[in-house]
């Protein structure tokens, strides 16, 4: 292989794929990035066997070839090198990088030692949507997830497709977020409904690589999914298991329905959180007659505080305890200046959403008190 490439182009590609390079001691080849020329393109590939990313780098191809180079060493060189124009060549299992005043020879591996990246058999059926739309939707639901060893099915995003909508859901059993993308916002060649579990790590890597412009296509088969944009591809295995049947716990009615300023609500939570110590526990009370929400917190060693917020309220609710950080996460995800906040008893979930947008809601469980 012999190519000429601009440093920043190569740096962008290594940044996109470098995080998933594996560290399996039984498979040291996973620490490498595969560089190959194909169809007049320079393609970088990294994988940990669960996720694989291919990224196309523009450059001038003088001689075709391929090699698997250590991603950390290559990334460090490219990040610190001063020259903009790089000459890259291979000699069997050696990768040479040359500039006007610098030369490095990296001990690498032959490309045939690099794992084969699986193919999606059915590439006729796909869903296409704006990259930014998918990026925003993923960010709105992934905040409700966290790693669980006891319930591995929760380490995923539930994706459900029908001809009417594309739904994304995540939960950690303490909170849950659902985002619905209407069929007017995507195109599809798939007529059959389907659902699958996308691993959280795959979702996080997908969010990192999704741009603010352009479109992305999603392909799938029985246990694999492929996301493809103009410059990159992300392949992921689907997670096994069944996502919780969450619909039955989503409240249909509320004891208290509150319309409140998002900014004021978030600020009150931050202030109350100062006195919540390590528990992140705050107390929230809705008073119908006063048309206010009272948020308070206390700690024996720190002190106490109380914040009163004006709000439009229908109904009432007794004192309920919440994790203020969980509430704050939900507020950040809602894209409106005014927030709908629905509450019931202290053993039932509360819901945060926009009063004007039915495509998204965030559900959070109260902290149960003995």
């Amino acid at each position: 292989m012999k190519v000429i490439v601009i440093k920043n182009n190569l740096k962008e590609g290594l940044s996109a794929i470098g995080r998933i390079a594996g560290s399996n001691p039984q498979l040291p080849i996973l620490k490498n990035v595969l560089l190959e020329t194909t169809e007049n393109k320079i393609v970088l590939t990294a994988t940990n066997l669960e996720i694989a990313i291919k990224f196309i780098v523009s450059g001038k191809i003088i001689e075709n070839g391929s090699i698997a180079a250590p991603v950390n060493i290559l990334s460090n060189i490219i990040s610190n090198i001063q020259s903009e124009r790089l000459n890259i060549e291979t000699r069997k299992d050696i990768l040479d990088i040359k500039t006007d005043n610098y030369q490095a020879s990296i001990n690498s591996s032959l490309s045939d030692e690099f794992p084969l990246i699986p193919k999606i058999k059915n590439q006729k059926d796909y869903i296409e949507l704006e990259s930014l739309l998918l990026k925003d939707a993923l960010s709105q639901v992934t905040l409700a997830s966290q790693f669980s060893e006891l319930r591995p099915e929760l380490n995923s995003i539930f994706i459900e497709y029908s001809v009417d909508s594309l739904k994304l859901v995540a939960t950690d059993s303490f909170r849950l977020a659902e985002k619905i993308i209407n069929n007017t916002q995507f195109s599809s060649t798939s007529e059959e409904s389907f659902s699958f579990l996308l691993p959280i790590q795959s979702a996080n890597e997908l969010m990192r690589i999704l741009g603010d412009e352009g479109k992305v296509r999603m392909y799938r088969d029985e246990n694999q999914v492929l996301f493809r944009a103009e410059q990159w591809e992300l392949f992921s295995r689907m997670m096994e298991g069944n996502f919780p049947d969450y619909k039955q716990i989503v409240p249909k009615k509320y004891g208290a329905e509150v319309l409140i300023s998002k900014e004021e609500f978030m600020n009150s939570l931050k202030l109350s959180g100062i006195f919540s110590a390590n528990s992140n526990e705050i107390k929230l009370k809705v008073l119908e007659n006063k048309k206010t929400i009272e948020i308070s917190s206390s700690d024996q060693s720190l002190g106490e505080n109380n914040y009163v917020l004006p709000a439009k309220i229908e109904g009432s609710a007794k004192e309920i305890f919440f994790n203020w950080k969980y509430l704050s996460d939900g507020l950040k995800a809602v894209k409106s200046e005014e927030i709908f906040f629905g509450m019931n008893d202290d053993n039932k979930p509360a819901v945060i959403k926009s009063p004007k947008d039915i495509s998204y809601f965030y559900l959070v469980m109260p902290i149960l008190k003995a």
Side-chain angles (χ1 to χ4, degrees):
M1 180 175 69
K2 188 174 183 180
V3 300
I4 300 172
V5 63
I6 300 301
K7 181 190 77 170
N8 286 339
N9 293 343
L10 185 55
K11 185 177 179 180
E12 180 188 10
L14 290 170
S15 175
I17 68 169
R19 284 167 54 101
I20 67 160
S23 57
N24 190 326
Q26 280 75 42
L27 289 170
I29 191 66
L30 297 182
K31 295 181 179 180
N32 290 10
V33 54
L34 177 65
L35 292 86
E36 57 185 338
T37 56
T38 176
E39 299 177 353
N40 294 319
K41 300 174 183 177
I42 304 169
V43 181
L44 309 182
T45 305
T47 183
N48 61 8
L49 300 184
E50 297 297 323
I51 311 170
I53 299 178
K54 290 188 175 185
F55 195 94
I56 298 172
V57 175
S58 58
K60 182 179 180 180
I61 299 172
I62 300 171
E63 185 178 310
N64 286 316
S66 59
I67 198 167
V71 66
N72 287 340
I73 293 176
L74 183 58
S75 295
N76 284 334
I77 290 174
I78 301 305
S79 295
N80 291 287
I81 208 167
Q82 297 297 310
S83 300
E84 287 299 318
R85 178 186 169 105
L86 310 179
N87 294 277
I88 297 178
E89 301 180 25
T90 58
R91 297 177 287 120
K92 293 185 178 180
D93 58 352
I94 301 295
L95 177 68
D96 292 326
I97 301 176
K98 299 177 183 178
T99 71
D100 293 337
N101 61 354
Y102 178 80
Q103 179 176 339
S105 297
I106 305 173
N107 294 332
S108 303
S109 301
L110 298 177
S111 58
D112 57 8
E113 298 178 24
F114 197 81
L116 291 175
I117 306 302
K119 303 286 186 181
I120 298 291
K121 296 177 182 177
N122 178 15
Q123 298 208 12
K124 293 182 180 180
D125 294 336
Y126 62 83
I127 299 167
E128 184 178 75
L129 68 164
E130 295 290 337
S131 292
L132 182 58
L133 177 61
L134 180 58
K135 184 179 181 179
D136 286 346
L138 286 167
S139 68
Q140 285 183 290
V141 299
T142 52
L143 55 82
S145 65
Q146 58 183 339
F147 183 78
S148 172
E149 292 184 353
L150 298 177
R151 301 186 63 186
E153 72 276 6
L154 299 186
N155 305 326
S156 65
I157 305 296
F158 175 66
I159 297 180
E160 183 178 58
Y161 165 78
S162 70
V163 293
D164 296 323
S165 65
L166 183 65
K167 183 186 296 182
L168 292 78
V169 189
T171 183
D172 61 4
S173 76
F174 299 106
R175 58 233 176 112
L176 179 144
E178 178 191 89
K179 173 65 177 180
I180 296 177
I181 300 173
N182 191 277
N183 62 2
T184 60
Q185 298 174 286
F186 65 83
S187 60
S188 174
T189 61
S190 180
E191 297 180 354
E192 295 185 2
S193 299
F194 61 82
S195 63
F196 64 91
L197 299 182
L198 179 69
I200 285 294
Q201 185 185 8
S202 301
N204 287 332
E205 291 300 323
L206 182 57
M207 281 191 293
R208 287 184 66 250
I209 201 172
L210 280 165
D212 293 342
E213 298 179 354
K215 295 182 181 292
V216 60
R217 287 184 177 182
M218 181 177 75
Y219 305 80
R220 55 171 286 279
D221 57 21
E222 292 181 358
N223 56 14
Q224 303 167 133
V225 60
L226 170 68
F227 297 89
R228 174 182 289 159
E230 184 177 359
Q231 196 173 12
W232 55 265
E233 292 181 353
L234 185 147
F235 166 91
S236 173
R237 296 187 186 276
M238 297 174 183
M239 181 170 285
E240 297 180 355
N242 296 313
F243 198 76
D245 183 10
Y246 66 94
K247 295 179 182 179
Q248 59 186 354
I249 68 167
V250 179
K252 296 179 174 60
K253 296 181 179 180
Y254 305 94
E257 297 184 359
V258 180
L259 291 178
I260 190 169
S261 163
K262 173 181 174 179
E263 184 178 354
E264 290 184 358
F265 199 0
M266 288 188 65
N267 189 53
S268 68
L269 291 173
K270 291 176 183 177
L271 283 170
S272 297
I274 296 172
F275 290 88
S276 65
N278 295 327
S279 67
N280 296 324
E281 179 181 292
I282 56 100
K283 181 171 66 176
L284 195 150
K285 188 174 183 180
V286 174
L287 299 178
E288 181 182 15
N289 294 334
K290 293 185 178 180
K291 299 297 182 182
T292 59
I293 289 182
E294 295 181 3
I295 300 174
S296 60
S297 60
S298 62
D299 182 86
Q300 271 191 331
S301 61
L302 299 177
E304 61 183 22
N305 69 357
N306 184 73
Y307 201 115
V308 178
L309 281 173
K312 300 174 185 176
I313 301 170
E314 291 186 9
S316 62
K318 62 181 182 180
E319 293 180 350
I320 304 178
F321 294 83
F322 290 99
N323 181 314
W324 77 268
K325 289 188 176 180
Y326 287 177
L327 288 178
S328 182
D329 284 344
L331 293 175
K332 292 175 185 176
V334 176
K335 301 182 183 299
S336 64
E337 294 181 359
E338 191 174 48
I339 297 294
F340 171 90
F341 186 48
M343 293 187 298
N344 286 299
D345 297 332
D346 56 4
N347 63 344
K348 295 181 180 179
V351 170
I352 296 173
K353 60 184 179 180
S354 167
K356 297 180 180 179
D357 181 10
I358 62 173
S359 72
Y360 179 78
F361 72 82
Y362 178 91
L363 181 151
V364 58
M365 291 297 297
I367 297 173
L368 298 180
K369 309 298 286 187

